[in-house]
Amino acid sequence: MMLALSPWALANESLGSNQQRAAVRTDLASEYYRRGAYAVAVEEAKRALEAVSNYPQALNVLAVSYVALKDDVRGRMHFEQALKAAPNDSDINQNFGSFLCERGEHKAGLARYEVVLTNTLYPTPDLTLLAAANCSLKAGDRELAKKYFERARNTASNNVSVKFQISNFLLEEGDLPQAKQLFIEVLRAIPKTPPELLWLGVRIERKIGNKDAEMRYANELRRNFPDSLEATKLLTGQYD
């Protein structure tokens, strides 16, 4: 799970001393989390809560850290406490939405994402829309996923991650011309082609029936990424 946590102005004089201590400890906790030191992140977040018992950002870091430590019970409990303290906080809703969708609670997860999307100042709505689209796919609702993908494309028309995921979706939908168009746009925008993009090219050209292009991408995949998951799928013919 990626940690969504807005930076705090730790030197802000408007913060009381307890608030400052909580902010500093939360900042440390989030940094330890990003480094993969989840147990240390838990301890720092707890110290933040000693300063301010319901500090929502500390509860947020505590939740994602427990999840990373495979303790979903404590993770969920702290997500719920964080939301109680700050029900409209975008970072908390984003993280909790991811948690819920990953555990098959798609409707509840999408509800968290929708809270994020009401915040017009949230810096990465495109990533939230992609997450909502993928959550919808896991729920088996392709029509809803399509709507989220369209919103993501309208929000960030030049985002290569958005284009890549939509291209994959359109391939599955059978819209090969649009899938290929977006694939080409991503291919031209990325200096070094990663294996997942080459694999997308293989599958699109295979569906179209363009054997020369299919073999070109397949050969590049085998040559440059022989140990990749995509190369294994190519070898075993797992195109779907």
Side-chain angles (χ1 to χ4, degrees):
M1 175 183 290
M2 294 296 292
L3 171 65
L5 185 68
S6 298
W8 273 80
L10 299 182
N12 190 334
E13 295 180 357
S14 67
L15 294 176
S17 59
N18 286 344
Q19 289 281 335
Q20 283 185 324
R21 285 197 294 273
V24 169
R25 289 296 185 181
T26 299
D27 188 63
L28 285 171
S30 63
E31 184 58 32
Y32 280 119
Y33 175 88
R34 293 186 183 96
R35 294 182 182 184
Y38 305 124
V40 182
V42 166
E43 293 307 311
E44 290 295 342
K46 285 181 177 178
R47 289 191 178 98
L49 293 173
E50 289 173 2
V52 180
S53 61
N54 64 341
Y55 197 67
Q57 288 75 26
L59 290 165
N60 183 27
V61 180
L62 200 54
V64 296
S65 297
Y66 274 125
V67 171
L69 291 168
K70 312 299 182 185
D71 190 340
D72 280 8
V73 174
R74 284 196 177 107
R76 184 188 294 269
M77 179 182 72
H78 286 97
F79 273 133
E80 290 172 348
Q81 290 177 1
L83 276 183
K84 186 176 180 180
N88 295 317
D89 185 281
S90 297
D91 296 327
I92 296 168
N93 278 282
Q94 178 75 28
N95 289 330
F96 197 20
S98 297
F99 173 87
L100 293 167
C101 285
E102 287 167 5
R103 282 148 189 80
E105 299 176 51
H106 305 113
K107 185 176 181 180
L110 288 170
R112 297 299 104 217
Y113 289 142
E114 285 296 338
V115 174
V116 179
L117 294 170
T118 62
N119 180 0
T120 58
L121 299 178
Y122 194 65
T124 56
D126 50 327
L127 300 184
T128 303
L129 289 163
L130 286 181
N134 286 306
C135 186
S136 301
L137 287 176
K138 291 177 183 177
D141 192 337
R142 298 189 69 84
E143 281 303 312
L144 183 57
K146 185 177 181 180
K147 292 177 182 178
Y148 278 121
F149 277 132
E150 289 174 349
R151 287 174 65 186
R153 191 175 182 183
N154 291 333
T155 300
S157 59
N158 293 321
N159 186 315
V160 293
S161 180
V162 170
K163 290 181 179 181
F164 172 77
Q165 292 198 42
I166 295 176
S167 180
N168 261 302
F169 176 76
L170 293 173
L171 170 61
E172 295 170 358
E173 291 286 285
D175 189 344
L176 300 180
Q178 276 295 307
K180 182 171 181 176
Q181 176 61 38
L182 288 174
F183 163 74
I184 294 298
E185 289 178 15
V186 176
L187 190 65
R188 290 172 176 169
I190 296 180
K192 184 177 180 181
T193 311
E196 55 268 27
L197 186 57
L198 290 169
W199 181 233
L200 176 59
V202 169
R203 291 182 294 131
I204 290 174
E205 298 298 356
R206 181 180 176 84
K207 283 283 189 180
I208 291 174
N210 188 340
K211 293 297 182 183
D212 289 341
E214 177 190 347
M215 288 305 299
R216 184 169 68 254
Y217 294 131
N219 289 337
E220 189 174 347
L221 178 59
R222 282 191 291 260
R223 182 174 62 253
N224 295 337
F225 306 99
D227 299 322
S228 65
L229 174 62
E230 291 79 9
T232 300
K233 289 181 177 180
L234 176 65
L235 182 65
T236 55
Q238 299 178 48
Y239 293 100
D240 298 321

